[in-house]
Amino acid sequence: MNQPQRNASNDPLAGDILQWLSTTEYACSSLSRLEGGILNYVYRGALLRPLSDGTATVIIKHAEERMPGLEGYILSTMRNHFEAEMIRGLPPAVSDYRTKGVEVVVPKAYLVDIPAIVNTQVFEDFQSQLTLRDNILSRAHEVEQSTELAMRLGSALGSWVRCLHIWGAQDSCPGKSCGGKLLEKHSVQESSFDFYYGNPLQKLAAFPDILGGCEDMFLQIKQQAAADVALWPSKEGFGMIHGDLSTKNILIQAEAELRMQKPRLVIIDWELAQLNSQLRDIAQLLADLFLLQYFESAELAVSVMKGFLQGSCCSQPEELASLSVHVGLHLLLFDITLPGPYQTGRINHLVSLARDLIVAGWERDHQKLQLNEFWALLRTV
C-alpha cells in the first residue's frame, strides 16, 4: 500500500509490536505508521529476513475498541480476528479473480493472534499501490485517455462482487459459520447495523428542514432490515458481504506500474464483513464514487460507476429500488466517507438528493427514481 506514512520510532505501540514479532518469522527491523486508517492502527513492517518468496515487507494491523478515526464510537476488537478468518476462508475464485485482463485479489493473512498480544494481525503487503480514490482523483484531467480503463476496472469490480456474493449466499460458505458466531456474540454485526441504520436518525437533528418528516420511514427501514437479518439464511439476497467496500479499501498500481502491467485491484480491510443485504456492498461503492464526482468533480468516477453497475448485473426494477434506499443511506454518511469542508449549499443539496433516493426507493416510485440526479447521471433506471 503506497500510503503516506510516518516514522514510528517514538510510538510505544510500535515498540511493543516489534518486540512481540521478534520471535516469529515476521520479525521486523522497523515499523512505519500508515496514515488514513479509521478503524485500526496500521503499520508497514520491514522484515529482518525476507520470506521464502522474497517478500520484504508486511502490513500489521492492531485493533482497539476505541478507534483512532471515529471519536466516541466503539467497535469490538473481534473484527480483526473475523477479518483474518474471512480472508482465509475465501475460495480462490474470489481471492484471486481474473476477468477481461484485470486481476482482483485479496491480501493473504500471514499471522493471526500473535502470541502474547491481542488483536494484532499480519497481512500481505502490496507496494507501489494507490487507493482507487487517490488514483481517480490523480487522473482528474485525463478523462478522455482514462475512460476506457475506468469502465473496465468498474466492470471487473462488479463481476468480482457478484462472484463474492454468489459464494457468500451458499449454505456451505465457510464465512457463514463465522458470521453465525458474530450474530451469536452480538458484537461487530450489531455495532455495524446500529451505526449504518442509526445514522439517518442522527442526521435528523442536523438537517431538520430537509429530513423532517422522515423519522417514521427511517425507523421502518431499520425495523425491516432487522427482520430480514433474523430470517437468515432463508432470506433471498442476503449473505456474506465485504461490509466496507469503498474506494479507500481498493488498491491499484501506481501509474508507472500500471503502464507496464495488467491492472490489478486489491480488496483490503475485511473486518466489517458480515451477513447482510448484499446490495449494501454495491450501494456503498456506488455512493462513494458518486461523492467523488459530486464534491471533487472527478468525472472518471462516473465511468467506474457505470462499469461497476453493469458488472454486478443489478438491473431489475425492484432490485434497483432497494439499491436506491441503500445508496441514499450511504450518501448520508458523507461526513465520514469524504469529510470536507464543503459549502453548506452543496451539503444540503446532497442530503436532499439522498432523502429523495430513500423515499422513492422505499415507496417503489420508479418514475421518481428515473428523475433522480443520481440515476440520471448513470442513465440506467
Side-chain angles (χ1 to χ4, degrees):
M1 290 179 285
N2 191 23
Q3 298 175 343
Q5 49 191 306
R6 63 174 184 263
N7 189 284
S9 58
N10 296 321
D11 182 345
L13 178 59
D16 290 341
I17 291 173
L18 283 172
Q19 179 63 38
W20 286 312
L21 284 172
S22 63
T23 58
T24 75
E25 64 177 307
Y26 304 101
C28 293
S29 60
S30 63
L31 298 182
S32 298
R33 175 86 180 271
L34 299 182
E35 303 284 1
I38 293 177
L39 300 183
N40 302 291
Y41 298 88
V42 184
Y43 301 87
R44 170 173 286 119
L47 293 170
L48 282 170
R49 293 173 297 278
L51 302 181
S52 58
D53 62 359
T55 295
T57 61
V58 291
I59 294 298
I60 300 155
K61 296 176 69 173
H62 175 79
E64 297 284 349
E65 285 191 343
R66 296 185 181 277
M67 295 168 289
L70 288 176
E71 186 176 350
Y73 185 61
I74 295 176
L75 187 62
S76 168
T77 54
M78 185 182 176
R79 65 186 186 271
N80 269 24
H81 299 273
F82 187 63
E83 175 180 27
E85 283 190 72
M86 271 296 299
I87 287 176
R88 289 183 167 182
L90 292 172
V94 174
S95 62
D96 191 11
Y97 183 78
R98 288 170 170 77
T99 178
K100 298 178 181 177
V102 179
E103 299 178 10
V104 185
V105 300
V106 177
K108 298 182 182 69
Y110 285 139
L111 186 61
V112 182
D113 291 334
I114 301 168
I117 181 172
V118 179
N119 308 320
T120 301
Q121 324 291 354
V122 180
F123 295 94
E124 181 180 10
D125 187 16
F126 287 85
Q127 291 275 17
S128 301
Q129 301 272 309
L130 296 172
T131 65
L132 182 59
R133 176 175 301 181
D134 288 341
N135 180 275
I136 289 172
L137 292 176
S138 70
R139 294 168 176 266
H141 304 295
E142 303 176 16
V143 177
E144 290 187 11
Q145 305 95 308
S146 303
T147 295
E148 186 275 334
L149 175 62
M151 284 281 291
R152 195 151 59 98
L153 294 176
S155 179
L157 282 168
S159 59
W160 173 82
V161 163
R162 185 157 46 91
C163 182
L164 169 68
H165 290 170
I166 289 171
W167 169 78
Q170 296 173 0
D171 290 337
S172 59
C173 163
K176 278 196 171 182
S177 62
C178 298
K181 293 174 186 175
L182 271 179
L183 286 170
E184 290 168 10
K185 293 184 184 245
H186 301 291
S187 55
V188 177
Q189 179 97 15
E190 276 199 355
S191 297
S192 175
F193 182 92
D194 289 341
F195 179 71
Y196 178 68
Y197 290 104
N199 176 66
L201 294 167
Q202 293 180 358
K203 288 293 194 293
L204 279 167
F207 302 95
D209 294 340
I210 302 173
L211 299 178
C214 293
E215 183 174 4
D216 287 345
M217 179 186 65
F218 290 154
L219 287 170
Q220 289 171 19
I221 291 171
K222 186 175 182 179
Q223 290 164 0
Q224 182 61 58
D228 289 342
V229 170
L231 289 174
W232 172 81
S234 61
K235 179 67 177 177
E236 186 177 354
F238 269 62
M240 294 307 303
I241 66 173
H242 179 279
D244 195 13
L245 194 64
S246 74
T247 54
K248 290 178 67 175
N249 290 335
I250 301 169
L251 306 179
I252 186 171
Q253 301 106 310
E255 179 63 26
E257 283 195 21
L258 195 55
R259 285 197 297 264
M260 297 183 291
Q261 303 173 1
K262 66 174 64 176
R264 180 186 62 208
L265 299 165
V266 184
I267 314 298
I268 62 172
D269 288 354
W270 289 75
E271 61 258 44
L272 295 184
Q274 59 191 272
L275 285 165
N276 218 304
S277 168
Q278 295 182 325
L279 291 175
R280 276 186 57 173
D281 274 345
I282 299 172
Q284 180 171 5
L285 188 54
L286 286 174
D288 198 55
L289 289 162
F290 178 80
L291 289 175
L292 291 180
Q293 188 276 338
Y294 182 84
F295 282 127
E296 304 292 341
S297 301
E299 295 304 321
L300 280 177
V302 180
S303 298
V304 180
M305 290 171 71
K306 290 179 177 179
F308 179 65
L309 192 61
Q310 183 181 56
S312 69
C313 294
C314 184
S315 59
Q316 297 303 311
E318 287 299 303
E319 198 173 25
L320 290 173
S322 296
L323 180 63
S324 297
V325 173
H326 285 290
V327 170
L329 293 175
H330 277 294
L331 289 178
L332 289 179
L333 288 165
F334 68 89
D335 49 339
I336 294 173
T337 303
L338 200 66
Y342 299 110
Q343 293 180 350
T344 301
R346 291 295 284 165
I347 292 174
N348 289 342
H349 181 73
L350 177 70
V351 173
S352 297
L353 187 156
R355 176 204 60 200
D356 293 346
L357 270 175
I358 297 170
V359 171
W362 184 246
E363 296 179 351
R364 297 301 191 261
D365 191 329
H366 301 288
Q367 185 174 2
K368 284 186 178 178
L369 285 176
Q370 288 177 356
L371 299 175
N372 188 276
E373 180 181 335
F374 175 86
W375 289 115
L377 188 68
L378 297 176
R379 295 185 178 88
T380 301
V381 174

